């Protein structure tokens, strides 16, 4: 095959942030805005990259130089994904890669992990290499760790498997949760957050209060397990209440902000079953679990306090080859 386009969804964490970095579970759903990556064979062993969304154009590297020296921020995940793939599955030809995102990289929907998954899946398809989802996860998660050093891999799992997943650190457990709906309102704070900075801030707090923070991680894990059971039986008010518990513990970890809290409380006051931040905190998005009857009021309340409501489908299909 000479040319192929692969797409993968973004993600929203429903519960379990931060604790999932430390061997606890989380719940994540794949969102209907996707990353698209087109891969074309080149005659020489070269990576060419066009990623206009992240301001990378006309980028070229020989395969021998991959991962060496300074790499522009917007090229890191793709370059190391190619490097990790060809270390396992040597390539004779080069590849031109073009990425396009349906969502802003500002939202925290996981554009980097989605593009990493697309690149590795695309290289496998382009070269006729058989790659199970487990192997795809392994290579993509390694790439994420190579670039940012930290992370649970939940975003990689959401990009690959899609749907809504119960996930434990590093893919120890990846279990689909059968849901035919997930009534969420998503609000963007307008503030871009940096995941690694927030993970580090929590780690510093944990160094000062090891037992307290470990106890919080355990309680977050218990809350995730209870929410897992509630979601399976569509017990939305209970799931919402558990999201509120989780938000309280994320406040304790110090990752919520005034803006997130204002949006979360506005959503609850407008009748949401539950509301919390989604992702690392510090900005990005909040989510509110809301009945069809309160959805409009919840959206208006979030907008009133300065949030931007993002209309996004959830529980969508994972990585796929585009026709
Ligand atoms: C970031 O979206 C969620 C964190 O739990 C990090 C991770 O799981 O990789 C903070």
């Amino acid at each position: 095959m000479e040319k192929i386009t692969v797409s993968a969804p973004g993600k929203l964490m429903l519960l379990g942030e931060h604790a999932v970095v430390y061997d606890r579970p989380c719940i994540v759903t794949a969102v209907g805005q996707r990353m698209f990556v087109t891969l074309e064979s080149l005659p020489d062993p070269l990576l060419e990259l066009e990623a206009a969304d992240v301001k990378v154009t006309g980028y070229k590297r020989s395969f021998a130089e991959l991962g060496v020296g300074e790499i522009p921020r917007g090229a890191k995940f793709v370059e190391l994904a190619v490097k990790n793939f060809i270390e396992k599955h040597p390539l004779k030809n080069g590849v031109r890669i073009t990425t396009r995102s349906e969502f802003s990289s500002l939202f925290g929907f996981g554009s980097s992990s989605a593009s990493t998954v697309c690149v590795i899946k695309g290289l496998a398809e382009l070269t006729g290499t058989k790659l199970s989802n487990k192997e795809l996860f392994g290579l993509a998660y390694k790439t994420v760790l190579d670039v940012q050093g930290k992370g649970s891999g939940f975003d990689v799992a959401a990009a690959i498997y899609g749907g809504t997943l119960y996930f434990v650190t590093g893919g120890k457990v990846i279990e689909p949760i059968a849901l035919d709906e997930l009534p969420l309102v998503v609000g963007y704070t307008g503030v871009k957050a940096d995941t690694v900075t927030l993970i580090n801030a929590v780690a510093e707090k944990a160094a000062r209060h090891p037992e307290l923070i470990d106890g919080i991680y355990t309680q977050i894990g218990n809350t995730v397990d209870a929410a897992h059971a509630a979601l399976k039986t569509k017990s939305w008010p209970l799931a919402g209440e558990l999201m509120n518990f989780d938000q309280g513990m994320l406040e304790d970890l110090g990752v919520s902000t005034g803006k997130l809290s204002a949006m979360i409380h506005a959503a609850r006051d407008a009748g949401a079953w539950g509301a919390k931040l989604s992702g690392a905190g510090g900005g990005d998005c909040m989510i509110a679990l809301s009945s069809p009857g309160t959805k409009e009021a919840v959206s208006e309340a979030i907008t009133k306090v300065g949030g931007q409501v993002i209309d996004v489908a959830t529980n969508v299909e994972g990585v796929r080859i585009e026709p």
Side-chain angles (χ1 to χ4, degrees), residues 251-290:
E251 298 265 3
D252 293 341
L253 295 182
V255 297
S256 198
T257 64
K259 180 80 180 269
L260 277 166
S261 296
M263 291 162 69
I264 288 162
H265 284 278
R268 289 180 192 164
D269 291 347
W273 285 310
K276 62 179 281 293
L277 66 83
S278 172
D284 287 347
C285 289
M286 51 73 68
I287 51 175
L289 196 66
S290 316

Side-chain angles (χ1 to χ4, degrees), residues 139-317:
L139 280 174
Y141 183 41
K142 177 181 184 323
T143 303
V144 170
L145 291 181
D146 287 348
V147 176
Q148 64 182 36
K150 293 186 174 140
S152 63
F154 82 103
D155 40 4
V156 174
I160 295 173
Y161 295 90
T164 300
L165 304 172
Y166 176 86
F167 174 91
V168 180
T169 326
K172 283 186 199 96
V173 180
I174 303 178
E175 187 190 313
I177 306 174
L179 287 179
D180 48 16
E181 57 172 331
L182 186 59
L184 277 191
V185 177
V186 181
Y188 175 54
T189 55
V191 179
K192 172 76 192 135
D194 180 58
T195 300
V196 175
T197 306
L198 285 144
I199 293 178
N200 288 340
V202 173
E204 272 169 32
K205 198 168 250 196
R208 280 182 280 120
H209 309 281
E211 278 170 26
L212 263 180
I213 301 288
D214 197 62
I216 291 173
Y217 292 155
T218 298
Q219 286 303 348
I220 291 178
N222 293 340
T223 308
V224 168
D225 284 336
H228 185 196
L231 288 174
K232 279 190 188 165
T233 54
K234 288 194 179 187
S235 307
W236 303 123
L238 175 58
E241 190 177 24
L242 292 162
M243 285 167 63
N244 292 343
F245 273 116
D246 194 7
Q247 172 63 21
M249 292 183 275
L250 289 164
E251 298 265 3
D252 293 341
L253 295 182
V255 297
S256 198
T257 64
K259 180 80 180 269
L260 277 166
S261 296
M263 291 162 69
I264 288 162
H265 284 278
R268 289 180 192 164
D269 291 347
W273 285 310
K276 62 179 281 293
L277 66 83
S278 172
D284 287 347
C285 289
M286 51 73 68
I287 51 175
L289 196 66
S290 316
S291 67
T294 58
K295 195 175 168 183
E296 211 177 299
V298 168
S299 302
E300 270 172 23
I302 292 170
T303 312
K304 236 188 199 148
V305 295
Q308 177 193 340
V309 172
I310 304 173
D311 190 17
V312 65
T314 51
N315 201 32
V316 306
E317 191 189 352

